[in-house]
Amino acid sequence: MRTRHFCSACGKVQPAVPVDYFTFFGFPRKLDLDTSVLEKEFYALSRRLHPDVFAQAETQERAWSLEQSSMLNDAYRTLKDPIKRTEYLLRLEGVELEEQSKQATEKARATGELKKQAVPPDLLEEVFELNLHLEELRMQKKAGEDDPAMLEEIGKAKLSLEEKYDALFSELKSEWKKWDKAVDSGTEEDRRKIRDTMVDVLNRRNYIRNLVRDVNEAME
Amino acid sequence: MAYSEKVIDHYNHPRNVGSMDKASADVGTGLVGAPECGDVMKLQIKVNPQTNVIEDAKFKTFGCGSAIASSSLATEWVKGKTVDEALEIKNTEIVKELALPPVKIHCSVLAEDAIRAAIGDWKKKQNVAKPAEMQAQ
Ligand code: FES
């Protein structure tokens, strides 16, 4: 249920209730969100909460309207962006990435077993290799040399990274659909699996995003 | 955010940067990453097969200053230790030594992971190198 931004009896603005951003807009905690609906809701609420509307209002009401509109902006910005929306939902669901990693290290310490890395080893290998190439490229640039073969190789790597990046987004979107279904009719076990997959996809995407950024910087 | 003096020192003068032959039987390689920020760290150790003492260590880190400092410090610490002693190193000790702030704790976790991964890789090689023992089990 959507939180009440205005009093249903007198129409006055209400203090902001500390709810999650989905609830703020009256959406279920689902991911395959129709952003045009979100946008419409956002603009409608923005108009009603605009400071001009409250220019003559009492101090209390003005303060509440400010609170509401700042929450509105945060909620809109978070839900509009597909990645932020996914990360936000995972956080709501209690997924703490850093905490997980620390716990895994502690477990490895206690049991002597090897910690499972959050991304597959071949991706790490690829990230590492490409970083080495980039470093070399930067050094060559500084020295005023250039190496067309190296540039070509990095250019190729960039293309394949971009492909992977897109593929990961499609993978994420298909997980959204599974998640939304599981919200309605899945078991907690189903949902846990989907959450884990989404974390995994986001982790891999992080690496690739940083790499693409670094490649672009180095090739400038 | 300001880095502590020790971090800056390791950052400007990283110890033991480099690499060793991954294929060598007495070298263990650990390659780990922090998904939070996308940083990667490679740490390698060279172990004396008679004494199990880590005689040399090298690292290469693509990441933030704290990750570079943590791995630089880790190579210093593992050198001269036996493999088992090196497994005792905890990320919290790195945090303390480098005065890392809470947001940089994961960088030290990465260094501990790298030590463990390198030792794990080396141990695996030792088992494979002694097939007779494996069969006896
Ligand atoms: S910020 Fe990620 S390793 Fe330091």
Side-chain angles (χ1 to χ4, degrees), chain B residues 4-102:
Chain B
S4 73
E5 255 168 60
K6 280 190 180 148
V7 172
I8 293 172
D9 180 41
H10 274 281
Y11 184 79
N12 286 333
H13 314 281
R15 335 286 201 256
N16 311 312
V17 173
S19 69
M20 298 191 252
D21 179 14
K22 210 172 120 179
S24 165
D26 53 358
V27 169
T29 302
L31 177 59
V32 295
E36 299 91 334
C37 56
D39 292 346
V40 282
M41 178 183 291
K42 183 184 250 178
L43 194 146
Q44 294 183 298
I45 51 168
K46 189 183 164 104
V47 184
N48 180 318
Q50 262 85 51
T51 58
N52 282 0
V53 168
I54 299 174
E55 292 183 329
D56 198 8
K58 294 268 184 246
F59 85 96
K60 179 81 198 165
T61 294
F62 296 104
C64 71
S66 303
I68 291 172
S70 298
S71 39
S72 170
L73 180 67
T75 54
E76 275 192 327
W77 278 359
V78 296
K79 268 207 237 178
K81 285 198 166 76
T82 63
V83 169
D84 288 336
E85 284 165 357
L87 281 172
E88 302 278 302
I89 298 173
K90 291 196 187 76
N91 83 293
T92 44
E93 293 163 344
I94 299 175
V95 170
K96 219 162 125 203
E97 174 69 19
L98 297 175
L100 297 180

Side-chain angles (χ1 to χ4, degrees), chain A residues 114-131:
Chain A
L114 273 194
K115 173 178 172 178
K116 191 174 158 289
Q117 286 294 306
V119 296
D122 50 336
L123 177 61
L124 279 182
E125 204 68 58
E126 195 182 339
V127 173
F128 192 84
E129 284 304 312
L130 193 55
N131 266 308

Side-chain angles (χ1 to χ4, degrees), chain A residues 138-152:
Chain A
R138 279 188 216 109
M139 268 167 10
Q140 285 174 351
K141 265 194 167 171
K142 250 199 206 145
E145 308 158 8
D146 68 316
D147 177 349
M150 166 89 84
L151 266 180
E152 199 190 312

